[in-house]
């Protein structure tokens, strides 16, 4: 085996371009891709470029092809088996060309093709470890690699390959204290758990034969009948799909104990673990990957304060999930993070969060929201929260398409810095009675308040913004637009709805204030009457013989 200066399994830190959630898609499937969608993915040391294709049908399965890699500083690169849910099946020509820091690379099992010169010029690359069958290899794939470069293989299909030197990849086997058995491999005197053999209980050790276990590898226990997992201190990473029960019902996994040393949980690592109701994340955890806990049985989530990144759909469609504490580390809530968590009713948005991604809380059960320092709200971010009644968004500048659509109980929204309301943003918010729109507002998209059947007034504090078609269509029969007299010139040509000036005092708010004052005065009067009666009673007792 090879000795290297460092070994780091690639972890996704940030997504440059995220695939938007398609509401019409099934909750059990990926969004349909176009013929080819180009994406970019930043990692710990470099950036992947890749193509996704397919619609998920038998005739057009999902597929990702890595097309390029902007070199970082990894000496050891374990390529993931999937990128944002798409299985990696191909590495295109020149994808890793001239990545001179790479010393070893692990190629995942599903790779079918590797293009011309894919790793050419990787002058430090001494070894490529292939987990699967011999793929279709282009010309000069490993040209110009380090002297003594060797391909290590597991499958017999490599036995007659002679373009580059080859050798069997030697795996170890281990049976742990709980009776679980699995293969493992060693690179740079560090162990990665590779593949499941047997056992329903696992006790992943801190070391095997004196060498530290640092990682649970890609798909190590994928669709395996494991019920409980205990992971020893020292393990740092759980790779993508390590414990996934993807697309199969009745996952047996019900208990996972994570070590304090764990820093990363990979994409889809525990996906479909419906029996897993609780998990405690260690303080050292920095990264949770794409759909890592999708369709799990979790009832609550507490993220550590130093969490740096959470992938899209991390807790998507967890039907029992009721509440989450997001810690203090996140600056953005990713797309679909809690989408379709239909019992989810309790969230406090941390002060550092400035952006909420597309469908982040789609079809949840939230009741009220204070969005603190949030500046942008993505497409369908809170779509279908039927019990949501109140939203404070003082710092929000942009409300995305259909962000609050179908929030049928929403009665009160508050803006201060709002600049843009996208099409359909408040579509069919049937309980909303009025809105006050600040003077920063520049655009209202088409259908923005369409179908808000109780909406009787929109009060504008500034000049007329650009207002899209049917923005206030099918609102209350007496709906009025109100503007301040000093902005009359900008409103002179507006004729889409009935319009008139106002004095800056919202009648609905004044009515609430008047009701409050009436109640307050009544309470004071009652208190005075009680005091007078008490005084009279005391005086009467004082005169008694």
């Amino acid at each position: 085996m090879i000795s290297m200066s460092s070994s780091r399994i690639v972890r996704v830190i940030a997504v440059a371009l995220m695939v938007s959630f398609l509401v019409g898609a099934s909750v059990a499937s990926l969004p349909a891709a176009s013929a080819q969608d180009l994406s970019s993915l930043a990692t710990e040391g470099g950036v992947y470029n890749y193509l996704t294709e397919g619609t998920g049908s038998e005739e057009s399965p999902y597929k990702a092809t890595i097309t390029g890699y902007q070199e970082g500083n990894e000496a050891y690169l374990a390529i993931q088996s999937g990128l944002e849910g798409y299985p990696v099946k191909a590495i295109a020509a020149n994808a890793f060309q001239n990545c001179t820091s790479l010393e070893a690379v692990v190629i995942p099992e599903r790779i079918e093709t590797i293009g011309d010169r894919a790793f050419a010029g990787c002058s430090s690359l001494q070894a490529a470890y292939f987990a699967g069958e011999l793929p279709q290899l282009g010309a000069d794939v490993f040209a110009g690699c380090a002297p003594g470069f060797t391909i290590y293989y597991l499958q017999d299909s490599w036995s007659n390959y002679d373009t580059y030197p080859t050798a069997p990849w030697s795996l170890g086997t281990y049976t742990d204290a709980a009776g679980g058995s699995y293969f493992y491999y060693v690179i740079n005197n560090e162990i990665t758990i590779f593949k499941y053999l047997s056992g329903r209980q696992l006790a992943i050790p801190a070391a095997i034969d004196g060498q530290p276990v640092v990682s649970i590898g890609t798909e190590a226990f994928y669709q395996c009948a494991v019920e409980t997992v205990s992971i020893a201190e020292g393990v740092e990473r759980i790779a993508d799909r390590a414990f996934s029960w993807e697309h199969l019902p009745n996952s047996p996994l019900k208990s996972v104990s994570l070590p304090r040393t764990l820093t990363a949980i990979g994409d889809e690592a525990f996906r479909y673990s419906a029996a897993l109701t609780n998990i405690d994340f260690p303080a050292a955890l920095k990264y949770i990957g794409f759909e890592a806990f999708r369709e799990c049985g979790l009832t609550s989530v507490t993220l550590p304060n130093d969490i740096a990144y959470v992938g899209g759909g991390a807790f998507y469609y967890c039907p029992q999930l009721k509440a989450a504490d997001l810690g203090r580390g996140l600056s953005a809530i990713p797309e679909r993070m809690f989408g379709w968590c239909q019992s989810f009713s309790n969230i406090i948005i941390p002060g550092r969060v400035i952006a909420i991604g597309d469908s982040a809380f789609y079809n949840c059960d939230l009741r009220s929201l204070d969005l603190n320092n949030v500046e942008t709200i993505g497409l369908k971010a809170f779509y279908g929260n039927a019990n949501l009644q109140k939203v404070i968004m003082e710092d929000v500048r942009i409300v995305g398409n259909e962000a609050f659509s179908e929030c049928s109980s929403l009665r009160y929204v508050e803006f201060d810095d709002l600049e843009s309301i996208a099409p359909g943003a408040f579509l069919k918010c049937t309980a909303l009675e009025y809105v006050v729109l600040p003077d920063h507002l520049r655009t209202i998209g088409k259908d923005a308040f369409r179908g808000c059947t109780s909406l009787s007034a929109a009060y504008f504090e500034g000049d007329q913004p650009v207002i899209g078609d049917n923005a206030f269509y099918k609102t209350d029969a007496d709906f009025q637009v109100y503007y301040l007299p000093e902005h009359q010139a900008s409103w002179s040509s507006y004729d889409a709805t009935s319009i008139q000036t106002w004095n800056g005092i919202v009648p609905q708010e004044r009515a609430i204030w008047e009701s409050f004052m009436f109640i307050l005065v009544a309470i004071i009067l009652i208190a005075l009457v009680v005091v007078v009666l008490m005084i009279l009673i005391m005086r009467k007792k004082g005169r008694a013989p």
Side-chain angles (χ1 to χ4, degrees), residues 23-45:
V23 172
S26 162
V27 299
S29 65
L30 285 167
S34 61
Q36 288 194 325
D37 291 330
L38 179 63
S39 297
S40 183
L41 184 67
T43 68
E44 183 178 30

Side-chain angles (χ1 to χ4, degrees), residues 475-499:
T475 51
D476 185 87
D478 296 324
F479 175 79
Q480 294 267 354
V481 165
Y482 294 88
Y483 64 90
L484 295 172
E486 55 267 34
H487 298 284
Q488 183 172 2
S490 72
W491 286 94
S492 59
S493 61
Y494 181 78
D495 60 1
T497 61
S498 179
I499 185 170

Side-chain angles (χ1 to χ4, degrees), residues 371 377 391-399 404 410 412-421 425-426 432 434-441 449 459 461:
L371 297 182
I377 299 173
V391 182
I392 306 296
M393 36 186 150
E394 295 178 352
D395 297 313
V396 170
R397 296 183 297 104
I398 299 170
V399 179
F404 295 92
L410 185 61
Y412 181 78
V413 291
E414 182 177 326
F415 311 105
D416 274 357
D417 296 328
L418 189 64
E419 297 175 5
S420 175
I421 300 174
F426 295 92
L432 192 62
Y434 72 96
V435 288
V436 179
L437 300 169
D439 58 4
H440 304 283
L441 185 63
F449 294 92
Y459 298 94
E461 296 180 329

Side-chain angles (χ1 to χ4, degrees), residues 329-352:
L330 293 179
S331 60
I333 295 175
E335 48 95 19
R336 297 184 302 116
M337 183 172 181
F338 298 103
W340 279 100
C341 294
Q342 292 174 298
S343 300
F344 193 79
S345 60
N346 188 0
I347 184 73
I348 296 176
I349 307 296
R352 289 192 68 235

Side-chain angles (χ1 to χ4, degrees), residues 53-325:
E53 53 188 295
T55 60
S57 67
E58 189 173 328
E59 298 78 18
S60 178
Y62 293 124
K63 174 184 176 180
T65 299
I66 296 171
T67 59
Y69 183 76
Q70 299 169 35
E71 184 181 10
N73 56 10
E74 297 98 342
Y76 166 38
L77 180 65
I79 297 173
Q80 292 189 185
S81 63
L83 292 170
E84 293 196 287
Y86 291 87
V88 175
K89 294 187 178 181
I91 298 173
N94 308 312
F96 293 88
Q97 189 173 29
N98 297 326
C99 290
T100 56
S101 66
L102 284 181
E103 297 178 19
V105 62
V106 177
I107 310 295
E109 186 173 359
R110 292 189 179 92
I111 291 293
E112 298 172 350
T113 61
I114 300 179
D116 298 348
R117 301 185 63 80
F119 294 90
C122 296
S123 55
S124 300
L125 188 62
Q126 301 173 45
Y129 297 85
F130 280 81
E133 301 286 348
L134 173 63
Q136 179 181 340
L137 295 174
D140 301 321
V141 171
F142 296 103
C145 290
F149 169 80
T150 302
I151 291 174
Y152 293 92
Y153 63 86
L154 293 175
Q155 307 297 334
D156 291 340
S157 58
W158 285 87
S159 58
N160 295 320
Y161 177 81
D162 59 5
T163 305
Y164 297 98
T166 62
W169 186 4
S170 177
L171 299 177
T173 59
Y174 183 76
T175 299
D176 63 33
S181 296
Y182 29 83
F183 291 113
Y184 67 90
Y185 62 81
V186 183
I187 295 179
N188 193 35
N189 298 317
E190 293 182 337
I191 286 176
T192 294
I193 305 300
F194 180 61
K195 287 294 180 186
Y196 170 84
L197 286 172
S198 64
R200 291 186 174 274
Q201 282 74 43
L202 302 178
I204 307 297
I208 297 174
D209 293 335
Q211 295 176 310
V213 177
V214 298
S215 177
I216 298 173
T218 294
E219 297 188 359
F221 300 98
Y222 180 77
Q223 295 185 345
C224 296
V226 174
E227 296 178 356
T228 64
V229 180
S230 176
I231 304 173
E233 299 299 327
V235 175
E236 298 175 2
R237 299 174 293 276
I238 298 173
D240 58 302
R241 298 186 178 188
F243 295 94
S244 174
W245 196 254
E246 184 180 10
H247 299 311
L248 294 179
N250 305 318
S251 163
L253 185 62
K254 58 186 178 183
S255 175
V256 176
S257 176
L258 303 177
R260 293 190 299 272
T261 51
L262 190 72
T263 60
I265 298 173
D267 293 359
E268 303 177 278
F270 293 92
R271 182 174 174 176
Y272 282 90
S273 297
L276 185 64
T277 60
N278 180 65
I279 194 163
D280 293 326
F281 296 118
L285 188 66
K286 300 295 190 296
Y287 165 73
I288 297 175
F290 173 87
E291 294 191 351
F293 294 91
R294 172 176 171 161
E295 296 186 57
C296 287
L298 300 175
T299 58
S300 65
V301 169
T302 300
L303 299 182
N305 286 328
D306 291 334
I307 193 81
Y309 175 78
V310 177
F315 302 96
Y316 180 63
Y317 201 64
C318 293
Q320 279 77 51
L321 188 62
K322 293 181 173 63
D325 181 343

